[in-house]
Amino acid sequence: MAIVYKIHPAIGIARVGDSEEYYLGPETAGGLPILPSGAPFGPDDFRDAQGRIRRQAARFRVYVYDDADPDDPGREVVVGENYVTAIEWRVHVANKKPIWYQFHTLLGEDGYAPDHPLRNPLDTDPASRVKRIIDPGPRTLAGANCSVTFARGDDTGYPATWPPKGLKPHDIDSLGQAHTDGEGRLIFVGGYGNSGSSVTPGIVDYANNDDWWDDTCDGTVTATVLTQIAGYDARIPVDFPAWVAVAPPKFAPQLFNLVTLYDTMYDVAVRRFGRRPDIYRDQAWQTDYRPDYASEIEPLLKRGMAYPWVAAIPPHAHKFDTARLGDPDPAYLGLRQFIVSILRPPTGPDYFGAPASGLTMMPFLAGDNAFYPGAPTSSYLKLSDTQYFLLQQWANGNFDATARTPPAKPGEELDRAVLENCVGGGFSPGIEMTWIVRNPAIYREPFRLKHKAQVPTPLSLTSALSAGLEPGDGCKYMAVPWQADYNECSSQEVIQPRALGEDPVPGNQVVTRVLWWWPAQRPGFVWVRDETAPLGRRQRPWLGSHDPNDADYIQFADDLEMVERWNELGFLYDFGTDGKPEILEVGARTHQPKSED
């Protein structure tokens, strides 16, 4: 028997808010947040009594496994049980955005060119640049009901680095707090959504703005299990540590992105780590594999059905008779094959229309590079290779209609649930993480990031992925400040080839389509109650105007306004019953569209 300890979730996601209060992040896919009190989460619970947005905390647990038994579901390690006296946690988070390379769509995914520009390029002195990193240093806490802060001025003996005081519009003095609950689990709460500039505030780019900082962050979570048996104390290091990332809010927590962060990482696990040899091995898809309709096909179809709640698209075109689609009867073969025929393949030309029929291809969402024509170009979001293979099998009738029930593994289910609630594309750069998650070099095992063995002080200005990640290495690719990308990535005009088969090169292009980015997380349009409207509700922009010609079409006209007013935006809550969704906006503090329905 080989005992192995692991932290779950392998990657925890916290989210910013301007309240001192917090709720726990959803621990089921598409689930609601969890109140610390254990009370049911209601539509008024996104905000505190003063109307401020509660922060989302990431909760971590330790599980123990018999590594010799691949079917062992694992058991949670709980303080006070099985001789465990405490769990000692160590957390180190940082923000490296100001010292990293500028983000330019896909450039850098396979390594940066020698002349790729840096952010804050006029600051060339390494000793000066490293001071732009927000690094409060590591914190340790052990036992139940303990707390620590990651704040400017904490007396820890670590040479912390913080932005200068006097940033506009907001100073940054904290990256959050960490707590333990009564069972010794770790609860990490991130920052307050503050962003600021050391010069006259102005935002010139969606991703790269010099002399700006924000209080998102990411970093390492490690643990040691403390036991006492027959009077003897022991310290057991947890073999597999975790990672925490602090991201912007998910304003529609019960909706799924069409490609989730789990889908993207699962594709890496399948094709690069041999996670599912029954699906993919020896660099080939196994065409004798029969996907389970209930768990591998139907959820993806239902994701598309939910998009009319957050985007101005016709609802009927996104409704499926899932009972018929899950019926292997050959009578429905043509219907299944038609659906897959209008799904954009993961590899191949970047077409808007299907080559055979000319019909609009799906998903109708922006891809990794919707800005610039030429290679590498990915104007439109594409499903992962694994998602597409499973759908092809289903379309051809090679699937199981009777649901399979795999053995429950609570730790792995927690890993999956957290990642299912995040964006898996398009990565331009994204919301929680970017295209770095497609690189197998960053993983110790599927879904678990590799820690750098020796983290230097101060933190590094450069990195080698094969050596592992240090605090700040996950979020450094993301937009600075985050509000700029969050504001501008509402919709996207896409450069289109004039005809199928033509390359979208200069002189042979025309803007013909406006696509959505991540409406399941950052809505474009929302529904509100209106007793005078049909069905008792009407649709309106989440913010801004209805008119695509307006500067504030479904976004603030100036990114700086998002920096100052993101905390006024509304959340979405499902009021539906009997399996029929009714997803409406709640808690909005401002809404001044130029035109209404």
Side-chain angles (χ1 to χ4, degrees):
M1 183 175 182
I3 297 299
V4 172
Y5 291 84
K6 295 186 177 186
I7 300 174
H8 294 285
I11 301 174
I13 302 295
R15 300 187 187 276
V16 299
D18 62 331
S19 172
E20 288 294 337
E21 298 179 18
Y22 66 87
Y23 47 69
L24 301 172
E27 294 181 345
T28 56
L32 284 166
I34 302 166
L35 293 174
S37 67
F41 193 95
D44 297 328
D45 290 323
F46 293 107
R47 295 180 179 273
D48 64 18
Q50 288 72 43
R52 294 177 295 227
I53 292 178
R54 288 186 169 111
R55 292 173 290 165
Q56 174 177 303
R59 178 164 61 180
F60 295 90
R61 315 162 192 242
V62 175
Y63 281 78
V64 59
Y65 297 88
D66 177 3
D67 200 39
D69 179 6
D71 296 324
D72 180 18
R75 169 179 57 82
E76 185 180 358
V77 176
V78 177
V79 173
E81 298 180 4
N82 298 298
Y83 309 105
V84 175
T85 58
I87 300 174
E88 182 180 281
W89 297 92
R90 188 176 189 270
V91 183
H92 189 175
V93 293
N95 180 318
K96 288 185 172 185
K97 291 182 182 182
I99 60 90
W100 197 237
Y101 292 97
Q102 293 181 17
F103 186 89
H104 293 299
T105 62
L106 294 173
L107 298 179
E109 182 172 9
D110 298 318
Y112 289 100
D115 60 348
H116 192 102
L118 294 168
R119 291 170 177 159
N120 295 292
L122 298 181
D123 188 354
T124 59
D125 179 11
S128 174
R129 287 187 65 81
V130 77
K131 293 178 181 178
R132 292 180 180 268
I133 298 173
I134 305 177
D135 178 17
R139 301 288 190 274
T140 301
L141 62 169
N145 302 311
C146 299
S147 296
V148 294
T149 62
F150 295 79
R152 187 194 298 266
D154 286 348
D155 185 11
T156 65
Y158 183 87
T161 51
W162 292 90
K165 292 290 288 183
L167 300 184
K168 302 295 183 183
H170 302 292
D171 267 326
I172 296 175
D173 296 317
S174 173
L175 292 185
Q177 302 86 34
H179 313 280
T180 54
D181 64 15
E183 286 74 40
R185 299 168 180 147
L186 175 70
I187 297 171
F188 182 84
V189 193
Y192 298 91
N194 290 332
S195 299
S197 173
S198 59
V199 298
T200 302
I203 294 178
V204 298
D205 188 72
Y206 78 102
N208 310 293
N209 292 281
D210 293 341
D211 298 306
W212 273 88
W213 288 262
D214 65 37
D215 64 2
T216 61
C217 64
D218 71 303
T220 55
V221 177
T222 61
T224 301
V225 177
L226 309 183
T227 63
Q228 187 178 72
I229 303 176
Y232 291 94
D233 295 329
R235 295 173 58 86
I236 306 171
V238 172
D239 307 276
F240 288 81
W243 200 265
V244 65
V246 180
K250 188 177 193 296
F251 285 96
Q254 293 167 282
L255 296 184
F256 290 93
N257 296 283
L258 201 61
V259 180
T260 70
L261 195 54
Y262 175 82
D263 294 324
T264 301
M265 292 185 178
Y266 182 67
D267 184 63
V268 175
V270 168
R271 295 192 296 121
R272 304 300 295 271
F273 283 96
R275 177 81 168 199
R276 292 292 302 272
D278 54 335
I279 295 177
Y280 185 89
R281 67 176 179 271
D282 300 326
Q283 298 185 327
W285 297 105
Q286 302 304 298
T287 55
D288 60 346
Y289 178 76
R290 298 174 63 85
D292 172 37
Y293 178 77
S295 64
E296 295 179 295
I297 304 298
E298 186 179 28
L300 183 56
L301 299 176
K302 287 185 173 180
R303 292 178 193 176
M305 293 168 63
Y307 271 67
W309 291 107
V310 287
I313 55 178
H316 294 293
H318 293 78
K319 287 185 177 179
F320 300 107
D321 185 338
T322 55
R324 283 199 302 165
L325 294 177
D327 188 338
D329 190 320
Y332 303 125
L333 178 67
L335 178 60
R336 294 192 301 269
Q337 291 182 336
F338 168 75
I339 291 174
V340 172
S341 75
I342 59 172
L343 291 176
R344 196 171 290 107
T347 57
D350 198 38
Y351 292 154
F352 176 79
S357 65
L359 294 173
T360 300
M361 299 193 79
M362 294 289 123
F364 199 79
L365 298 167
D368 294 339
N369 179 10
F371 305 128
Y372 310 113
T377 298
S378 180
S379 299
Y380 311 105
L381 179 68
K382 300 175 181 179
L383 301 180
S384 75
D385 290 80
T386 302
Q387 284 178 307
Y388 193 73
F389 167 73
L390 296 176
L391 286 169
Q392 285 181 306
Q393 292 294 94
W394 163 74
N396 293 326
N398 300 323
F399 69 98
D400 288 339
T402 303
R404 300 194 292 261
T405 306
K409 292 190 175 183
E412 292 183 3
E413 290 173 0
L414 192 56
D415 293 345
R416 176 172 183 166
V418 169
L419 297 172
E420 289 271 38
N421 297 322
C422 301
V423 169
F427 288 136
S428 189
I431 292 183
E432 296 87 7
M433 300 184 75
T434 192
W435 34 249
I436 187 177
V437 301
R438 296 193 290 235
N439 191 326
I442 71 170
Y443 297 99
R444 178 175 174 180
E445 64 174 1
F447 312 109
R448 193 176 300 273
L449 301 183
K450 183 196 306 180
H451 290 203
K452 193 172 186 178
Q454 298 294 328
V455 176
T457 303
L459 297 174
S460 305
L461 294 173
T462 60
S463 65
L465 296 182
S466 59
L469 306 183
E470 64 184 44
D473 277 350
C475 78
K476 66 187 180 185
Y477 301 85
M478 311 306 288
V480 57
W482 66 264
Q483 291 95 338
D485 186 42
Y486 213 76
N487 186 47
E488 294 191 30
C489 286
S490 55
S491 63
Q492 180 65 48
E493 289 186 335
V494 174
I495 297 174
Q496 277 292 119
R498 293 184 183 276
L500 289 175
E502 293 184 357
D503 292 327
V505 296
N508 183 34
Q509 59 196 36
V510 59
V511 175
T512 59
R513 292 290 182 261
V514 175
L515 304 181
W516 308 105
W517 277 102
W518 316 292
Q521 197 142 330
R522 183 257 185 248
F525 286 76
V526 296
W527 291 85
V528 295
R529 292 202 186 280
D530 184 346
E531 299 304 326
T532 67
L535 303 178
R537 60 177 182 260
R538 62 184 172 87
Q539 194 177 48
R540 70 182 186 188
W542 189 49
L543 69 152
S545 163
H546 277 274
D547 189 346
N549 296 312
D550 289 341
D552 64 345
Y553 173 58
I554 60 173
Q555 66 183 47
F556 291 118
D558 187 335
D559 293 339
L560 191 59
E561 200 170 357
M562 180 66 88
V563 171
E564 298 181 294
R565 300 182 63 188
W566 65 271
N567 55 355
E568 300 176 13
L569 299 171
F571 286 80
L572 271 63
Y573 187 90
D574 188 357
F575 290 89
T577 57
D578 300 325
K580 296 180 180 179
E582 187 182 29
I583 302 170
L584 305 178
E585 185 185 44
V586 297
R589 291 296 183 266
T590 182
H591 207 292
Q592 301 295 330
K594 288 186 177 179
S595 58
E596 292 286 353
D597 291 336

